[in-house]
Amino acid sequence: MDPSNLTSLPEYSSEEDPQKLSAFSNVPDRPATQTYLQKYSPLEWSGYFDREDDICIPGSNDVFHVYVAGSEGPVVFCLHGGGYSGLSFALAASKIKEKARVVAMDLRGHGKSCTENDLDLSIETLSNDVLAVLKTAYGDTPPAVVLIGHSMGGSVAVHVAARKAISSLAGLIVVDVVEGTAVASLIHMQKILSSRMQHFPTIEKAIEWSVKGGSLRNIESARLSVPSTLKYDDSKKCYTYRTRLEETESYWRGWYEGLSEKFLSCSVPKLLLLAGTDRLDRALTIGQMQGKFQMVVVRHTGHAIQEDAPDEFASLVLNFVSRNRIGPHGIEILGLPRPQQ
């Protein structure tokens, strides 16, 4: 090549588009990284529920806190597990409210509810609380109600349904609680409770622990539900658990003994959601073979199915409502007119 021709070659300055220099320079921008506080910061319930209410029970000083979503359809009344709160159902409620009303209650000794005896978690008292809230909220003409209960709340839902005190009860959904497994695990419960991290310097640390070392797997749900399970201890200058479950051991066996037979005896449509097939006891295995209830195993979740897989949980609930033709006033047969308002 004639060296004199080199002067005619194009020159690249440092100011030109670097992408023209090399294909390897065409690197996409890195996504913005979340700071620790952003990743584990609390979320507001208002992004998921439509409102919150305090329900004062006549003749007592008991005030129960509820979160409400939706304006049409049957009432999906949600009862959380021991140590959780009504916000355990927040992510699922934001989906269910498109076709049904959702009411998630903070049980006695949990969340923002305040009662004369927060440590009385006997199954009788918890069941009476649910019935009192329904009575106060809806009077003698309640809309169709589908009871959903997770863990301890599942036991409460079954006992409430078995009492046949809700004239408009149209369905029962129990989430990851089976009598045989629950009773067998009671001897380990105190050890499990004591092994939890007990004190948190910040709410963000509590949220982080609940996902990394606790029972939750969904960060978004943990950011919603975990703050409502804590209270600030001024003397220790840290956050501790709102519910003192370790002091309620005398009530634990009452939550679960006889649960399977009570569940099977309920005459309304029933759905059992489990995180694993190994949790069915003998009575439920026989009942399931006889077609007495529907069962779905939701895999790849932990104990709190509604928090770990909220979209799937919401779909299962809405499918249950649709499959059993549960309308705002109760069971509706297709082809017949709905009752007048």
Side-chain angles (χ1 to χ4, degrees), residues 58-76:
S60 76
N61 293 320
D62 296 343
V63 180
F64 291 98
H65 197 77
V66 297
Y67 298 92
V68 183
S71 58
E72 296 181 349
V75 171
V76 177

Side-chain angles (χ1 to χ4, degrees), residues 328-341:
H329 305 286
I331 304 297
E332 298 179 354
I333 307 301
L334 294 181
L336 293 180
R338 293 189 176 191
Q340 294 298 312
Q341 294 283 358

Side-chain angles (χ1 to χ4, degrees), residues 20-228:
K20 295 179 181 178
L21 297 176
S22 168
F24 296 104
S25 65
N26 188 18
V27 179
D29 293 335
R30 291 178 180 272
T33 56
Q34 284 184 306
T35 66
Y36 173 84
L37 288 178
Q38 288 174 327
K39 186 174 183 179
Y40 297 110
S41 61
L43 292 174
E44 289 295 324
W45 63 265
S46 55
Y48 305 83
F49 287 100
D50 297 333
R51 69 178 194 274
E52 60 178 349
D53 289 327
D54 283 324
I55 297 182
C56 304
I57 306 303
S60 76
N61 293 320
D62 296 343
V63 180
F64 291 98
H65 197 77
V66 297
Y67 298 92
V68 183
S71 58
E72 296 181 349
V75 171
V76 177
F77 198 88
C78 303
L79 305 173
H80 60 79
Y84 294 78
S85 80
L87 291 179
S88 177
F89 295 94
L91 263 64
S94 67
K95 307 292 183 183
I96 296 172
K97 73 178 185 180
E98 296 172 5
K99 296 184 179 179
R101 288 171 280 180
V102 182
V103 178
M105 172 182 171
D106 284 343
L107 293 170
R108 175 182 295 257
H110 294 75
K112 294 182 180 178
S113 289
C114 182
T115 67
E116 294 176 347
N117 184 356
D118 279 353
L119 287 176
D120 180 8
L121 299 187
S122 67
I123 192 63
E124 294 81 11
T125 297
L126 293 172
S127 300
N128 288 338
D129 290 343
V130 172
L131 291 171
V133 167
L134 287 167
K135 173 76 172 177
T136 304
Y138 301 111
D140 295 325
T141 56
V145 173
V146 177
L147 281 177
I148 297 183
H150 167 236
S151 196
M152 178 194 78
S155 170
V156 178
V158 169
H159 279 78
V160 169
R163 285 168 65 167
K164 297 181 171 35
I166 305 174
S167 59
S168 60
L169 185 64
L172 173 63
I173 301 176
V174 173
V175 184
D176 211 43
V177 58
V178 167
E179 177 184 347
T181 307
V183 171
S185 68
L186 289 180
I187 59 173
H188 307 293
M189 191 57 62
Q190 285 289 6
K191 184 176 181 180
I192 292 171
L193 291 175
S194 63
S195 67
R196 300 185 298 176
M197 186 174 288
Q198 303 293 322
H199 308 96
F200 305 96
T202 65
I203 288 180
E204 288 80 7
K205 283 291 185 184
I207 293 171
E208 179 186 23
W209 182 85
S210 72
V211 177
K212 292 183 176 180
S215 62
L216 303 182
R217 302 181 183 183
N218 185 322
I219 293 179
E220 183 182 2
S221 190
R223 292 169 67 191
L224 272 161
S225 65
V226 168
S228 63

